Amino acid sequence: MVVAIGFEGSANKLGIGIVKDGEILSNCRRTYITPPGEGFMPRETAQHHRQNILQLLKESLEKSGLRPEDIDVICYTKGPGMGAPLAMVAVVARTVAQLWNKPLLGVNHCIGHRFARVLKISNDPSPGYNIEQLAKKGNKYLQLPYCVKGMDVSFSGILTYMEERTNSLLKAGYTAEDLCFSLQETVFAMLVETTERALAHCNSDEVLIVGGVGCNIRLQEMMGQMCAERGAKLFATDERFCIDNGVMIAHTGAEMFKAGMKLPWIYSSITQRYRTDEVEAAWRDD
Amino acid sequence: MEGFELIRQGAEAKLYKGLYLGKPTLAKERFRKKYRHENLDLFLTKERMKAENRAIVRCKAFGLRTPAIYLVDFNRRIIFMEYFEHNIVLKDFIEISPVEVLTRLAVNIGETLGKMHESNIIHGDLTSSNMLLVNKNDVDSFDNLDDLSLVLIDFGLAYVESSAEDKGVDLYVLERALSSTHSTADRMFPKILEGYQSYCPSEFKEVFNKYEEVRARGRKRTMVG
């Protein structure tokens, strides 16, 4: 039985979760919300995390009903992400690991996350969520730049295209809702198409959507249709697990811990770039 | 699709095998993708069918082996093309072949890509799934590399472009596809570059520099610090 606590703060969400053998005991989160039309900057984000992390840690422990001595392993996000928030969260993880005298593990985190800035869409709760709500009301499709290169997508061009034309399009009878709708249809079609390419290339029949954008119902619906057309299975989930959270770090860390992985103190670093395929998956045997 | 049987569902099309004017034929149907907006789907399907045909015709003109096009039917969204009876997909060949064979084959792949780029054809989706090895003697044997010829397929994302940038991206896409699929990729890819260089030494330098540039600005690369 492994009890793991996970610290996640690679972007504007700060999450601390505790898991016990796959069972979630707590999953607490604070989000740093910026003013409409602005993104989050490393320094301010780190500051937000710094101001909230101790309170959140307390909350997470209380919710789980555990005491520090019940915990077996401390897990934190090693990367990828923004340097300052990552470093800030890692410092706290290292400190509690020493205070409680527990082993420490660095975990790889993977995320993908702008148009909201042009239309000055609210960042509360998240710009993507608000685009989704607006897009539901749009129906006039505007053709936008569409660019896939092999299994990669290129969004460069879309933002410029929209930025240059937003005002004239709004005057020409397209509503902000229509633009959100067209943007979502185009970008998601690219994501679904490249996913399908990857499925065909790898002879796989399973798709898992995660990340903040993964909560988008339209993306899940499109991905689901693609999967249905080729007899594949889609795994999608809701905001508790899609959005950055501490539980995913705790759970991954617990698997690593069970597999006997150890992280020497001097290697408890962070890295802004950390590819998913650089991780040795010692906890799996397939 | 009378007389045609479904053999596979690829990334963007259903593939059927049958006879067309007495010849073994592959029918590639870019069926309607319900997940995307109807206008976008129609636009993309037409673009890709045109791209595929243009690139294949251009390849033929420059002496590169690709399936021959028999008929293009925009209304039914189908291209009828040559079917190779005795073929193995490169991806499967890589998995069953020793490294010595693969490095030798890689040089050959590099030469073919050099020739394709020299003709200003950008493939757009180079992977080990989009190359076939076809037995020249019409038998199902893939042991002897000298009996096999390399055939490029799936030109749906292809276009004509002379810039070193696009050629560099093409190579980068291939490198990424190989390294995420095959453990032998790090042995093969340098040999591919070697073959490319030997085929077009004059152009290679610029393309290679661009490739390195693209590689350096790619988002998902390794960086320490």
Side-chain angles (χ1 to χ4, degrees):
Chain A
M1 194 183 67
V2 175
V3 180
I5 183 166
F7 291 78
E8 152 62 33
S10 55
N12 69 333
K13 282 121 197 140
L14 176 68
I16 300 178
I18 300 176
V19 297
K20 180 180 171 183
D21 275 335
E23 185 198 342
I24 297 164
L25 301 181
S26 67
N27 186 17
C28 302
R29 181 165 61 218
R30 292 267 198 291
T31 303
Y32 171 51
I33 294 169
T34 50
E38 284 177 34
F40 47 94
M41 307 293 259
R43 195 163 63 130
E44 287 77 18
T45 310
Q47 195 174 5
H48 165 269
H49 291 359
R50 193 155 54 234
Q51 283 162 355
N52 286 282
I53 194 164
L54 295 180
Q55 184 58 40
L56 196 65
L57 176 56
K58 237 170 125 180
E59 195 181 305
S60 195
L61 275 172
E62 272 167 18
K63 225 169 170 180
S64 70
L66 296 180
R67 288 159 306 158
E69 49 267 37
D70 302 325
I71 291 168
D72 296 307
V73 59
I74 315 282
C75 316
Y76 72 98
T77 306
K78 186 180 167 75
M82 282 185 162
L86 278 175
M88 192 273 128
V89 174
V91 166
V92 173
R94 275 185 224 122
T95 310
V96 295
Q98 283 198 313
L99 274 176
W100 301 344
N101 198 18
K102 302 287 178 190
L104 183 66
L105 279 175
V107 175
N108 175 295
H109 163 117
C110 248
I111 45 165
H113 290 288
R114 146 168 161 221
F115 173 62
R117 291 176 206 185
V118 183
L119 282 175
K120 291 246 162 55
I121 290 173
S122 167
N123 283 336
D124 184 12
S126 73
Y129 176 79
N130 293 316
I131 288 188
E132 180 181 4
Q133 302 316 312
L134 287 174
K136 282 181 186 163
K137 295 179 212 133
N139 54 28
K140 218 161 121 185
Y141 180 72
L142 167 77
Q143 180 125 15
L144 294 169
Y146 186 101
C147 185
V148 304
K149 294 173 184 182
M151 277 171 274
D152 283 339
V153 291
S154 164
F155 295 132
S156 70
I158 288 202
L159 189 64
T160 317
Y161 188 92
M162 295 290 255
E163 267 171 344
E164 280 169 358
R165 292 169 184 76
T166 297
N167 284 330
S168 59
L169 286 167
L170 289 175
K171 280 182 202 137
Y174 283 97
T175 61
E177 287 81 0
D178 292 333
L179 296 183
C180 288
F181 168 75
S182 305
L183 178 79
Q184 213 174 261
E185 288 299 309
T186 310
V187 169
F188 290 173
M190 286 161 68
L191 293 177
V192 175
E193 183 184 346
T194 46
T195 305
E196 187 165 19
R197 273 176 201 285
L199 282 179
H201 181 63
C202 302
N203 291 323
S204 172
D205 55 7
E206 290 179 348
V207 177
L208 170 68
I209 318 186
V210 294
V213 186
C215 307
N216 189 301
I217 303 293
R218 178 64 185 139
L219 177 62
Q220 295 190 359
E221 184 184 295
M222 289 167 77
M223 205 62 97
Q225 272 167 331
M226 179 276 281
C227 287
E229 278 168 8
R230 58 182 304 114
K233 241 172 110 180
L234 173 69
F235 299 89
T237 158
D238 63 34
E239 52 90 24
R240 285 171 304 159
F241 306 113
C242 269
I243 300 181
D244 298 351
N245 61 75
V247 161
M248 67 185 201
I249 301 298
H251 182 73
T252 314
E255 293 295 328
M256 291 163 72
F257 183 72
K258 276 191 257 178
M261 291 174 77
K262 286 193 176 67
L263 180 70
W265 196 249
I266 57 160
Y267 293 122
S268 65
S269 57
I270 56 137
T271 168
Q272 284 167 268
R273 297 176 188 278
Y274 192 12
R275 287 203 48 152
T276 315
D277 53 12
E278 286 169 42
V279 179
E280 195 191 346
W283 58 93
R284 280 179 66 150
D285 39 17
D286 59 343
Chain B
M1 296 292 285
E2 204 182 309
F4 277 79
E5 76 174 300
L6 181 70
I7 51 170
R8 214 175 91 82
Q9 185 170 338
E12 47 175 338
K14 284 179 179 160
L15 304 175
Y16 301 85
K17 189 187 159 189
L19 285 178
Y20 178 78
L21 299 177
K23 289 179 184 144
T25 297
L26 183 90
K28 184 171 180 177
E29 183 197 13
R30 287 183 158 82
F31 64 95
R32 160 105 172 84
K33 300 273 179 174
K34 291 192 205 75
Y35 70 80
R36 60 190 173 203
H37 195 275
E38 208 179 333
N39 302 7
L40 179 64
D41 186 66
L42 196 66
F43 169 79
L44 289 176
T45 300
K46 280 206 159 160
E47 284 301 304
R48 290 185 181 165
M49 285 179 73
K50 282 191 270 182
E52 176 135 46
N53 284 296
R54 281 200 195 109
I56 284 181
V57 169
R58 198 174 168 93
C59 278
K60 291 261 172 222
F62 286 92
L64 283 154
R65 188 123 191 242
T66 58
I69 304 275
Y70 295 155
L71 179 75
V72 181
D73 187 334
F74 279 111
N75 292 328
R76 288 158 71 201
R77 302 162 161 250
I78 304 172
I79 301 178
F80 293 86
M81 61 179 105
E82 178 180 5
Y83 178 81
F84 298 99
E85 292 280 5
H86 308 285
N87 81 80
I88 181 168
V89 180
L90 176 63
K91 193 175 103 178
D92 300 331
F93 185 81
I94 291 178
E95 294 310 314
I96 58 165
S97 305
V99 175
E100 309 80 67
V101 174
L102 294 177
T103 48
R104 206 150 67 84
L105 172 65
V107 175
N108 183 247
I109 293 172
E111 288 165 358
T112 306
L113 298 181
K115 195 170 184 182
M116 184 182 81
H117 280 176
E118 192 193 48
S119 321
N120 293 332
I121 300 163
I122 311 297
H123 186 281
D125 186 23
L126 288 171
T127 66
S128 52
S129 298
N130 292 342
M131 297 181 206
L132 301 180
L133 293 166
V134 176
N135 188 298
K136 293 172 191 166
N137 309 318
D138 293 331
V139 287
D140 266 331
S141 152
F142 307 104
D143 304 330
N144 189 352
L145 207 52
D146 298 320
D147 290 338
L148 305 176
S149 62
L150 184 69
V151 179
L152 296 172
I153 58 167
D154 280 355
F155 284 87
L157 295 178
Y159 55 97
V160 175
E161 175 62 60
S162 60
S163 84
E165 162 92 22
D166 294 68
K167 293 171 185 175
V169 171
D170 225 18
L171 291 178
Y172 179 62
V173 165
L174 176 63
E175 186 196 12
R176 290 274 307 270
L178 288 178
S179 65
S180 60
T181 324
H182 305 290
S183 57
T184 42
D186 56 333
R187 306 278 293 276
M188 287 184 74
F189 196 71
K191 289 284 169 188
I192 292 179
L193 292 177
E194 194 183 301
Y196 192 109
Q197 181 172 24
S198 71
Y199 185 80
C200 42
S202 53
E203 252 193 294
F204 178 76
K205 206 169 174 228
E206 209 192 334
V207 173
F208 183 71
N209 288 341
K210 278 290 174 190
Y211 153 78
E212 292 217 299
E213 212 182 293
V214 172
R215 200 167 193 249
R217 69 171 180 241
R219 254 171 34 90
K220 290 167 183 157
R221 68 191 194 267
T222 308
M223 201 174 95
V224 179

